[in-house]
């Protein structure tokens, strides 16, 4: 059974940094695209960042480009999202996701097969 277990998040002030983690259980030995999405209060889930199956390319939404960094530790089967210069508009529940098959498309949630439980990030002004 595949599980994505998230950690990190919390309440911080604007300008602060946070790191989110997402450990993949049950897909050991495989390499697959992964991403981060977020859902702000009263809004739909939107793309934040993703990386390809071999981590050779990364993609970011315009709203986080230059502030957030996605990375992966293959040996620990863990995905990270380093978030710097946080803004109140970054407040959302953040979800990690994994594609079982490499769809070649990395910013649409419909291409992701497994999801983490979500973690709250709240940025105060």
């Amino acid at each position: 059974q595949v599980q994505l277990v998230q950690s990190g998040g919390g309440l911080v002030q604007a300008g602060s940094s946070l790191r989110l983690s997402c450990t993949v259980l049950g897909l050991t030995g495989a390499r697959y695209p992964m991403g981060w999405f977020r859902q702000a209060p009263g809004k739909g889930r939107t793309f934040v960042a993703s990386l390809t199956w071999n981590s050779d390319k990364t993609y970011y939404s315009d709203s986080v480009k230059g502030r957030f960094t996605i990375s992966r530790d293959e040996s620990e089967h863990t995905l990270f999202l380093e978030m710097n210069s946080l803004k109140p508009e970054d407040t959302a529940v953040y979800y990690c996701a994994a594609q079982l098959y490499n769809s070649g498309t990395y910013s649409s949630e419909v291409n992701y097969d497994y999801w983490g439980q979500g973690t709250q990030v709240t940025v105060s002004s």
Side-chain angles (χ1 to χ4, degrees):
Q1 184 180 358
V2 178
Q3 282 186 288
L4 276 59
V5 181
Q6 296 182 223
S7 61
L11 171 63
V12 297
Q13 290 188 327
S16 300
S17 298
L18 275 177
R19 188 174 80 159
L20 304 182
S21 300
C22 172
T23 299
V24 181
L25 307 175
L27 278 178
T28 56
R31 302 177 82 183
Y32 34 85
M34 294 194 71
W36 290 96
F37 292 76
R38 66 186 181 186
Q39 186 167 17
K43 298 187 178 180
R45 194 155 55 186
T46 59
F47 169 73
V48 175
S50 62
L51 45 65
T52 53
W53 68 276
N54 59 354
S55 304
D56 69 333
K57 291 183 180 179
T58 57
Y59 303 91
Y60 297 93
S61 67
D62 288 342
S63 61
V64 307
K65 198 174 296 182
R67 299 188 297 122
F68 291 12
T69 302
I70 187 172
S71 62
R72 171 163 52 190
D73 184 332
E74 303 256 2
S75 64
E76 297 295 329
H77 308 290
T78 300
L79 181 75
F80 301 101
L81 185 67
E82 189 74 38
M83 304 184 292
N84 298 315
S85 303
L86 282 162
K87 305 175 181 180
E89 50 264 44
D90 294 318
T91 295
V93 177
Y94 284 71
Y95 297 90
C96 64
Q99 295 187 14
L100 182 59
Y101 302 104
N102 186 10
S103 70
T105 302
Y106 306 106
S107 61
S108 174
E109 62 176 308
V110 301
N111 295 113
Y112 289 83
D113 304 288
Y114 302 105
W115 292 85
Q117 79 275 18
T119 186
Q120 179 70 47
V121 172
T122 302
V123 185
S124 63
S125 57

